[in-house]
Amino acid sequence: MNNKKSAGALFFSMFLRAVVVILALVIVAMSVFFVRGYLKNRANKDITNVDESLLVDNQEDELLTATPNESATEASDIQDDGGSEVKSSKGLSIAVLNATEVGGLAGKWADKLKADGYTNVQAANYYAKSDITVICVEEEGQGEDLKAYFPNSYIQVQRLDSGATDAAIDGTNIFIVIGATDTEVR
């Protein structure tokens, strides 16, 4: 009779261990599933505006304010459709920043601008994602001619923080943060 009890106890003990191991595997698998889902959603999170914490008001932070190039003050004026004068950005230092998932997009836009006569253009990355293109300028009236390339964009009179991009901040007059609305170079 002792043999039957010990065989039953042995079976029950093994069954319990198997259940515990299976439950542990299920818990680990579900944890991995939820963590992957969370990270994927976080990476694909749509940001409709530029992260304002990465922008610095031009008049508040003198360390990030670059003095305009000599050629910037000599930039030619052009007429827009409304008849008012718009300063050309062709003599200014411009950084085109990729804020999308499309690799090499800033370089393509920089090449397009260079081909159209913008001489001091660099391409770099922006560390946040954006749906809309934002043209960040040093002073009011700059960058208006660039809106022709990015019709869904808007202009902000602000400077970028050096932690927002891998571009050279010093000496750059205009930052074009390319958003998902401008993934096609026209």
Side-chain angles (χ1 to χ4, degrees):
M1 211 125 192
N2 269 344
N3 286 342
K4 287 184 180 181
K5 286 183 180 180
S6 75
L10 183 63
F11 173 76
F12 183 75
S13 173
M14 293 298 279
F15 178 75
L16 213 65
R17 288 181 183 178
V19 168
V20 168
V21 169
I22 290 171
L23 285 176
L25 290 174
V26 168
I27 290 171
V28 168
M30 288 181 67
S31 297
V32 168
F33 175 77
F34 286 120
V35 168
R36 276 187 56 210
Y38 171 77
L39 293 176
K40 184 177 180 183
N41 286 340
R42 186 173 171 204
N44 293 333
K45 182 180 174 184
D46 289 334
I47 300 172
T48 56
N49 287 322
V50 174
D51 185 0
E52 296 293 328
S53 69
L54 299 175
L55 297 174
V56 176
D57 187 3
N58 189 25
Q59 292 150 352
E60 289 179 8
D61 192 346
E62 294 179 22
L63 293 175
L64 294 178
T65 304
T67 56
N69 294 343
E70 303 281 331
S71 58
T73 56
E74 300 168 7
S76 62
D77 292 339
I78 56 175
Q79 297 285 336
D80 70 358
D81 294 338
S84 63
E85 288 188 8
V86 176
K87 287 193 175 202
S88 173
S89 300
K90 289 189 176 181
L92 300 177
S93 176
I94 300 172
V96 182
L97 310 176
N98 189 355
T100 71
E101 297 289 329
V102 180
L105 185 61
K108 291 175 185 173
W109 274 112
D111 290 343
K112 170 68 174 163
L113 292 173
K114 287 176 187 175
D116 289 351
Y118 295 86
T119 57
N120 193 359
V121 181
Q122 65 172 312
N125 293 309
Y126 188 72
Y127 297 139
K129 300 298 176 219
S130 179
D131 286 337
I132 300 170
T133 298
V134 180
I135 302 170
C136 298
V137 298
E138 288 183 312
E139 56 188 58
E140 194 72 37
Q142 288 180 335
E144 293 291 336
D145 56 332
L146 296 169
K147 284 194 58 82
Y149 294 93
F150 312 102
N152 297 322
S153 67
Y154 65 94
I155 295 176
Q156 281 187 317
V157 180
Q158 289 187 319
R159 299 275 300 157
L160 292 184
D161 185 303
S162 60
T165 179
D166 57 1
I169 298 289
D170 294 333
T172 303
N173 306 107
I174 299 175
F175 295 91
I176 304 171
V177 180
I178 304 294
T181 57
D182 293 302
T183 56
E184 280 187 42
V185 180
R186 303 175 265 308

